[in-house]
Amino acid sequence: MPKHVSRRARAKAPTVANPILRSGIVGLMVACGVAAVDLALPDSAHAQTPAKQALTPKPTPKPADGPLPGSKPAAPAAQAGATGTESKQDPVLLTADQVTFDEVNSVVTASGNVELAQGKRSVHADKITYNQKTKVVTATGKIRLVEPSGDIVFADYAELTDDLKDVFIENIRVLMTDNGRMAGNEGERREGRLTRVSRGVYSPCDLCKEDPTRPPLWQIRAVRIVHDNEEHEVRYRDATMEIFGIPVAYTPYLSHPDPSVDRKSGFLTPSFGNNSNLGAILKTHYYWDIAPDQDATFDLHYYSQQGPLLGGQYRKRFESGRLELEGAITRGDVANTTIVPKETRTRGYVAARGLFDIDETWRAGFDIKRASDPTFLRRYYDFREDYLTSKAFVEGFHGRNYAAITGYSFQDMRYGNPIPEPVTLPYAQYNALGEPGSLLGGRWSFDTSLLAVSRFRNAGPDTQRVMVQPGWERNIVSNAGFVTTLSGSVLVAGYKAQQFNYNDPTVRGDDNISRFRFFPQGQATVRYPFVRYGESSSQLIEPIGQLTFAPKLPNGRLFPNEDSLDVEFDDVNLLQPNRFTGIDRLDDGMRFTYGMRGAIYGYTQGSASLFLGQSIRLSDSSAGFSGDSGLEERVSDYVGRLDLQPADWLDVNYGFRVDHETFRPRRHSLNASAGVPLLRLSTSYTYVDQTTSRNAVTRNRVEQANFGVSSQFTDRWNIGIAHTQAMEPQPGPRSSLAVLTYGDECLLFQTIARRDYTISTTGEKDGNTIFFRLVFKNVGEFKSPGINASFLGGGSANQ
């Protein structure tokens, strides 16, 4: 009759008297992915074991395809039991409420909270048996296997053959580390690496808490699902995509990487659509995982009204840097003007980016972009910037010192601009900053640069400039509360220019010049902050006064102008020594600047601040500010800024410039949003009066506004609508946009409708477009690159 041990057992050193029990438990462990190398049973079970000769099990066979990557081969069970040698792997621990052996039927049984553990792997079951006559190991009850990867396998019944290769599991469920779930009526494991699920489903979506039996948001139902642990891939045969339990798509084959894979070679999800300029669109992509440090993507786009486009990207990481290459080429139509007909030519673009560490101080890099024509990127990639900027550089950082040598090249992407862009090579600079208190109680600074600008096809003068500017600054806080900042600098610059024009330095002329400039400048800024601390907030009122002094310079038109072509006078540069953007034009003479800052800051939330300021010239200046700058007279315009954020439901940022005589607004810039997630309004408004004469009847103004409304009307649904309207100089709509978004833990869906009202000088227009984006977690992304929509008005799907 069966004998049993009715106390909880714990593993000890292996002996030759327990091979049958070891064989059964080892069999279940291998079936579930646990490699057995060392196993022991309680001493009281030793005497109840039959003779060794008849019961010694076979060695554990090695899987046909070898061990899993990163694992060590398992020692044969018989060898470990017979010799008693210790394995380098972690020992296997067995616990159970009861262990029995039926001598008549040759059956070993471990029952009651059975647990096998080895390292990070563990198996839990209600009951484990091994039948020597049928050579079958079975596990029943609530079976749970925890893999080192974190995946958990659940089953009600498991059965395996005596060669330990083939495993059969009923009612299998798998919970993956990324919260993905796989389940089926039955499953099997082959060769220790393939897990096959028959009539199974897969989904990363959470189940409904109120009714877990309801279908998830989406799932893949397949005749067979195979999880390959060596290839780290999940494959489906005869797969059907179901959304809300409704079949929406079928494919005979589908695969995607398992959660352990960061990247894998293969075809990416294609995209499709329609566009008025390109026709029907099909975009295919192939991803190539070349090595752990490099990969590539190949793109092949088909267009019914244009030739195919071939493109790709290559990425590589080095020990001391990284490299990225990108490009595309096609043969398509190009419209030169509205009069000249289209011509077919080869079109494309190239881009390269790299950054490499030379040593601990120096690094080098480049960022190069070039297109065959201004319309290529807009048509094929929806790129709408005015310029492509390419640069190459070497730069170094050491303490508070910085040095760099850079070369720049530009490509104008605006339609119909015939003027070629300049090339800047080199632009070298060095900046150093001393320690606080290192010089006369303050901090010294030293800046120097070398600049060379070359132009082609008579587009302007060629210029070379060298500059050195030492400086000093100190902050002094008096006992009375005054905060005084003293600063000074000396600019020494030398210029050379070829084909220079005295009347207009931006236009090519006939003179070759050499110029020298010496410009000392000093500033004294005094602030007196009044601060009050209340129960819920603190308040600040801070008057500011500043005196700037410098000698008067000769006419600025005697010098080339490469970095000071425009001035945007506002509260940001009101207190700066030089209100120009660079050093080719200088803010000379003496002036007094004053302002007032007031603010309130809540201790828990909310803040508001307001700044107003103006500058007054005390001496004549040759700076030559333009008539619309606000600095052309002795008294400047008023500038200010309001920042208001009392709570999360309101955020306002408003900057302005007001004429000092007529109080007519010259510049407005507003960004504001208000509301709660359920309903939030936003706007962006810009107004610029570029009229050079204050009393002119006809004004040169630019006015444009963006309006938007969004609503997070559920936890997962969001809608947003935006519109851009121009008021001056050419009134009319510019673009409209609507976005509908759904997002949860396993799905992202977006519908983006856009109408573009602009028409280029070549007659090209984008019209009305719809984009679709559907992202299934772990499986892929489906999106439409552009479908023309006539229902928005003014367009035709077939135009």
Side-chain angles (χ1 to χ4, degrees):
M1 61 179 296
K3 300 180 181 180
H4 64 85
V5 180
S6 59
R7 62 183 178 85
R8 193 158 184 83
R10 177 65 67 175
K12 292 181 58 181
T15 67
V16 297
N18 58 359
I20 295 178
L21 183 58
R22 179 186 299 111
S23 178
I25 295 174
V26 168
L28 178 65
M29 293 166 60
V30 173
C32 298
V34 177
V37 295
D38 188 12
L39 179 66
L41 293 175
D43 294 337
S44 57
H46 296 171
Q48 301 161 8
T49 306
K52 168 187 175 184
Q53 296 89 314
L55 301 177
T56 301
K58 300 178 181 179
T60 302
K62 181 180 179 181
D65 293 332
L68 295 179
S71 65
K72 299 179 180 178
Q79 181 180 353
T83 63
T85 59
E86 295 182 1
S87 171
K88 294 181 180 180
Q89 293 184 337
D90 295 331
V92 176
L93 302 179
L94 164 69
T95 60
D97 292 339
Q98 190 177 52
V99 178
T100 64
F101 176 49
D102 187 341
E103 297 183 13
V104 177
N105 298 314
S106 298
V107 175
V108 178
T109 304
S111 59
N113 298 315
V114 183
E115 178 181 353
L116 292 171
Q118 181 189 32
K120 296 181 179 180
R121 256 194 198 95
S122 64
V123 180
H124 303 260
D126 290 343
K127 188 176 183 180
I128 295 177
T129 64
Y130 173 70
N131 190 315
Q132 182 190 14
K133 296 179 179 179
T134 61
K135 298 182 179 180
V136 173
V137 178
T138 61
T140 58
K142 299 178 179 179
I143 303 173
R144 184 174 78 255
L145 165 66
V146 180
E147 292 279 5
S149 63
D151 293 347
I152 304 176
V153 179
F154 302 91
D156 295 330
Y157 178 82
E159 181 179 300
L160 63 152
T161 58
D162 65 336
D163 60 6
L164 309 180
K165 285 186 178 181
D166 302 330
V167 183
F168 174 79
I169 302 175
E170 288 185 355
N171 195 18
I172 183 174
R173 290 94 64 200
V174 181
L175 178 62
M176 299 180 176
T177 55
D178 62 348
N179 205 36
R181 296 173 175 84
M182 185 168 59
N185 294 337
E186 57 187 34
E188 59 181 352
R189 173 168 292 186
R190 294 293 181 90
E191 302 175 353
R193 71 182 184 91
L194 296 177
T195 301
R196 299 177 179 175
V197 178
S198 300
R199 295 181 294 278
V201 295
Y202 168 82
S203 177
C205 303
D206 293 338
L207 298 176
C208 178
K209 295 182 180 179
E210 290 76 13
D211 184 6
T213 62
R214 291 176 54 186
L217 178 63
W218 69 267
Q219 63 182 4
I220 300 176
R221 187 179 298 276
V223 173
R224 173 175 290 181
I225 304 176
V226 179
H227 183 195
D228 193 328
N229 288 327
E230 285 191 0
E231 298 294 332
H232 301 287
E233 186 177 52
V234 181
R235 300 187 287 267
Y236 305 84
R237 296 288 184 181
D238 293 328
T240 301
M241 171 69 74
E242 295 182 355
I243 298 179
F244 299 111
I246 302 174
V248 297
Y250 166 81
T251 178
Y253 178 81
L254 177 68
S255 69
H256 63 81
D258 68 16
S260 65
V261 177
D262 292 328
R263 58 187 194 179
K264 186 177 179 63
S265 299
F267 284 97
L268 304 179
T269 306
S271 55
F272 58 92
N274 186 76
N275 181 271
S276 59
N277 293 317
L278 302 173
I281 302 172
L282 174 62
K283 294 186 177 183
T284 59
H285 316 274
Y286 183 84
Y287 176 78
W288 183 18
D289 182 14
I290 304 173
D293 60 342
Q294 58 183 320
D295 60 6
T297 305
F298 301 97
D299 304 325
L300 183 58
H301 303 175
Y302 297 93
Y303 308 98
S304 63
Q305 297 181 13
Q306 299 289 331
L309 180 144
L310 178 64
Q313 305 86 38
Y314 172 77
R315 296 161 291 268
K316 181 174 177 60
R317 283 191 174 274
F318 301 89
E319 184 177 353
S320 59
R322 63 180 183 269
L323 172 68
E324 298 178 28
L325 305 176
E326 183 175 355
I329 188 171
T330 187
R331 184 134 182 110
D333 295 336
V334 179
N336 293 327
T337 66
T338 57
I339 301 176
V340 178
K342 296 180 179 180
E343 61 174 321
T344 301
R345 67 170 71 162
T346 300
R347 314 176 66 189
Y349 84 101
V350 293
R353 181 185 301 113
L355 184 63
F356 303 91
D357 294 330
I358 301 174
D359 53 32
E360 294 182 356
T361 301
W362 294 95
R363 68 180 186 182
F366 57 87
D367 187 358
I368 300 172
K369 306 180 185 74
R370 212 71 181 176
S372 60
D373 55 85
T375 63
F376 174 82
L377 291 176
R378 181 183 180 96
R379 171 180 286 190
Y380 290 95
Y381 292 94
D382 197 32
F383 180 86
R384 295 167 180 265
E385 299 295 329
D386 291 338
Y387 294 93
L388 290 180
T389 302
S390 300
K391 68 176 181 178
F393 62 90
V394 177
E395 60 182 357
F397 306 83
H398 183 72
R400 288 179 293 273
N401 304 307
Y402 173 77
I405 300 177
T406 310
Y408 290 94
S409 176
F410 307 93
Q411 184 178 7
D412 196 336
M413 305 302 290
R414 295 172 296 179
Y415 299 110
N417 185 13
I419 302 176
E421 298 301 316
V423 173
T424 302
L425 181 67
Y427 175 53
Q429 56 181 323
Y430 172 74
N431 310 102
L433 191 63
E435 295 184 4
S438 59
L439 180 63
L440 302 177
R443 165 181 283 183
W444 60 267
S445 63
F446 182 80
D447 303 315
T448 183
S449 67
L450 173 66
L451 174 69
V453 179
S454 301
R455 292 178 171 87
F456 307 98
R457 291 185 290 174
N458 298 323
D462 297 335
T463 304
Q464 301 83 46
R465 185 191 72 191
V466 60
M467 178 273 290
V468 176
Q469 186 176 30
W472 175 82
E473 181 178 284
R474 177 183 179 181
N475 290 323
I476 303 173
V477 180
S478 68
N479 295 332
F482 288 95
V483 180
T484 303
T485 301
L486 302 177
S487 64
S489 64
V490 177
L491 173 66
V492 180
Y495 291 85
K496 289 191 68 176
Q498 296 79 40
Q499 287 79 45
F500 183 73
N501 189 327
Y502 287 96
N503 297 322
D504 187 352
T506 63
V507 178
R508 198 172 187 90
D510 300 324
D511 295 318
N512 296 332
I513 65 167
S514 297
R515 295 283 186 268
F516 176 79
R517 169 175 284 171
F518 179 81
F519 182 70
Q521 188 177 40
Q523 270 192 329
T525 306
V526 180
R527 299 180 290 116
Y528 193 73
F530 296 90
V531 181
R532 178 182 178 274
Y533 298 97
E535 295 182 358
S536 58
S537 64
S538 61
Q539 299 90 43
L540 168 69
I541 297 178
E542 184 181 48
I544 302 173
Q546 182 186 81
L547 181 63
T548 304
F549 43 93
K552 181 181 177 180
L553 293 174
N555 189 346
R557 292 183 181 273
L558 297 176
F559 293 86
N561 188 0
E562 301 291 350
D563 60 11
S564 304
L565 295 176
D566 193 15
V567 177
E568 185 174 335
F569 178 50
D570 55 19
D571 63 292
V572 176
N573 59 8
L574 172 67
L575 298 172
Q576 291 181 357
N578 186 24
R579 270 82 65 92
F580 286 100
T581 55
I583 63 170
D584 289 344
R585 294 294 180 267
L586 296 171
D587 205 348
D588 59 348
M590 294 184 61
R591 68 177 184 270
F592 175 72
T593 306
Y594 65 95
M596 177 72 71
R597 177 182 290 109
I600 180 171
Y601 304 97
Y603 294 147
T604 57
Q605 69 171 354
S607 64
S609 64
L610 175 64
F611 174 80
L612 294 172
Q614 185 185 41
S615 68
I616 302 174
R617 289 200 171 275
L618 305 179
S619 63
D620 293 335
S621 172
S622 62
F625 290 104
S626 61
D628 63 339
S629 65
L631 294 169
E632 66 274 11
E633 299 182 1
R634 283 183 173 270
V635 179
S636 74
D637 290 344
Y638 298 101
V639 295
R641 181 170 300 274
L642 171 66
D643 292 297
L644 182 62
Q645 190 179 21
D648 293 338
W649 54 267
L650 180 63
D651 189 355
V652 177
N653 179 271
Y654 173 56
F656 56 91
R657 176 163 65 88
V658 178
D659 190 283
H660 68 279
E661 287 188 2
T662 64
F663 295 99
R664 175 182 292 171
R666 300 297 300 271
R667 183 184 293 270
H668 290 296
S669 177
L670 173 66
N671 291 279
S673 64
V676 294
L678 180 61
L679 180 63
R680 193 167 187 90
L681 305 176
S682 62
T683 184
S684 175
Y685 173 75
T686 301
Y687 172 90
V688 180
D689 187 347
Q690 303 176 105
T691 308
T692 57
S693 176
R694 179 178 290 109
N695 300 319
V697 177
T698 302
R699 313 298 296 183
N700 180 14
R701 293 179 292 205
V702 176
E703 187 176 11
Q704 182 170 292
N706 300 326
F707 307 95
V709 57
S710 64
S711 175
Q712 183 79 39
F713 52 91
T714 70
D715 292 340
R716 299 178 176 179
W717 285 95
N718 176 280
I719 187 172
I721 300 174
H723 177 74
T724 302
Q725 182 76 21
M727 283 70 79
E728 293 188 83
Q730 297 178 349
R734 292 295 179 262
S735 65
S736 299
L737 179 71
V739 181
L740 177 66
T741 303
Y742 172 88
D744 59 20
E745 77 283 351
C746 64
L747 177 69
L748 174 65
F749 170 74
Q750 277 188 324
T751 299
I752 304 173
R754 184 182 67 194
R755 182 176 185 185
D756 195 319
Y757 301 88
T758 58
I759 301 177
S760 70
T761 56
T762 60
E764 294 217 10
K765 57 182 179 180
D766 295 321
N768 306 318
T769 310
I770 285 184
F771 299 89
F772 293 106
R773 186 172 180 230
L774 190 61
V775 182
F776 296 95
K777 180 182 178 182
N778 300 336
V779 175
E781 174 178 346
F782 298 85
K783 64 180 179 179
S784 166
I787 298 179
N788 229 30
S790 59
F791 63 83
L792 292 178
S796 173
N798 299 319
Q799 65 178 353

